[in-house]
Amino acid sequence: MAQEKLVKPNCSYGEVTLPELEWQKHRSERYWEYRRKWAEIPQKQITTDFPIHLDIETTSVCNLLCPMCPRTIKIEDGTFGDVGHMSMDLYKKIIDEGSKNNLYSVKLMSLGEPLLDPEIVQRIKYAKDNGIEEVMFNTNATNLTDKMAHDILEAGLDSIFFSIDGLKEQYEKIRIGAHYESVVKNIENFLRIVDENGYKHVQTRASLVVMPGMEEIIDEYTQFWLPKVGMVGLGEWMVRTEKSDEKDYNPDFKCAQPFQRMFVLMDGVCTPCCLDDGKNYVVGNANENTISEIWHGEKATALRAAQKNGRYYDIDICKKCAMPFAKK
């Protein structure tokens, strides 16, 4: 295997990649324009006319109960809320607006498993037919049958990230309800279908949440998955807290997410970041307002202003966030 390299897109996440990735050779100039903006916009703290990326939770259904997942924790304490699928009318409303406002990418998930959305294939196709440059999602791959693989690839899926926490011993303790060998087989079959049908632009990645004690398997995990998928994602496991002491304030921290993206949950509720799984800082509702109105609304604007002014601690969800203290 060629020498891999480690990159760190942000302070809590790293990627080990092969030095040359085939999919990168088959992406458009607009895709690379998007990736340049993804880095540049938060660095310069630019408020764009419209988010360049949306995370759209098309379903909040999942078939697993992973102990580190906020969904599992909230189900166990009775605070998760409704379980279901986003209406196709709302989804089309969001995509239609994005199409008119140079929306570059969508990730079709939040806390649910996208392959359990009965309309996931139609949603991928609708986004691609309306000019969305990159359509992607994470999946636990338990439902990644050969038919599903063919369907999502034909619909236009650009990137798929496999959530596989550990090798067999760790995986089946964490991914409760899944069978390691079956998931590996599903992924290998998917990769075969990609190769046999010439989907050279499709990006794949295996992702590991590095929980306590897992540091010792990172090398073995990487050596197993990297030749197959080309990229291995290593996410830092962070303890979620209910309060923070002001002495912990990190004046040098600047969060990228309020400038890059917005989350639209299954019920239309909009939140600003991946860590607000409790809807603690709702910036609007896509059933009631346009994405543009929400993006420029009072709460989203206040959040970006706090970041610009070095006052993230004034925002309750931000002062509880572990990101300012994630490993560099």
Side-chain angles (χ1 to χ4, degrees), residues 242-271:
E242 291 302 319
K243 61 181 180 179
S244 178
D245 194 313
E246 193 161 5
K247 70 182 180 182
D248 294 331
Y249 176 70
N250 178 0
D252 298 322
F253 176 72
K254 297 184 185 300
C255 184
Q257 293 195 52
F259 300 92
Q260 295 167 324
R261 71 204 301 182
M262 189 164 68
F263 286 71
V264 188
L265 304 182
M266 178 274 294
D267 55 3
V269 168
C270 298
T271 61

Side-chain angles (χ1 to χ4, degrees), residues 82-214:
D82 294 337
V83 176
H85 311 298
M86 177 180 284
S87 75
M88 201 64 175
D89 285 344
L90 176 58
Y91 178 77
K92 288 181 176 180
K93 173 179 179 279
I94 296 165
I95 296 297
D96 289 348
E97 184 185 359
S99 178
K100 296 173 184 175
N101 288 278
N102 201 30
L103 174 66
Y104 287 92
S105 72
V106 293
K107 178 177 273 192
L108 301 183
M109 61 158 297
S110 179
L111 293 181
E113 165 51 46
L115 295 184
L116 294 179
D117 175 3
E119 297 183 292
I120 190 63
V121 176
Q122 297 94 309
R123 296 190 204 267
I124 295 167
K125 187 175 188 305
Y126 193 82
K128 293 304 295 183
D129 286 350
N130 283 276
I132 305 303
E133 185 64 31
E134 182 170 39
V135 178
M136 58 184 143
F137 55 70
N138 293 31
T139 176
N140 61 39
T142 56
N143 286 271
L144 188 60
T145 63
D146 282 13
K147 183 181 185 308
M148 179 63 79
H150 281 289
D151 287 349
I152 61 178
L153 288 166
E154 289 171 10
L157 187 70
D158 297 292
S159 299
I160 184 167
F161 310 126
F162 307 115
S163 299
I164 316 160
D165 291 299
L167 300 168
K168 179 176 173 60
E169 180 183 352
Q170 302 83 17
Y171 177 88
E172 292 186 350
K173 292 178 181 177
I174 294 170
R175 293 273 161 183
I176 298 170
H179 184 257
Y180 180 76
E181 284 85 358
S182 297
V183 168
V184 171
K185 182 180 177 181
N186 287 350
I187 295 170
E188 290 177 339
N189 284 341
F190 178 87
L191 297 172
R192 173 183 53 79
I193 291 167
V194 167
D195 289 340
E196 290 178 354
N197 292 275
Y199 293 108
K200 294 184 178 180
H201 74 288
V202 173
Q203 176 186 187
T204 58
R205 183 183 74 207
S207 298
L208 170 69
V209 177
V210 185
M211 298 177 70
M214 280 197 178

Side-chain angles (χ1 to χ4, degrees), residues 52-71:
I52 62 171
H53 170 85
L54 289 174
D55 296 82
I56 306 174
E57 183 183 57
T58 69
T59 183
S60 60
V61 175
C62 189
N63 57 332
L64 302 184
L65 291 170
C66 307
M68 75 291 195
C69 178
R71 185 182 186 280

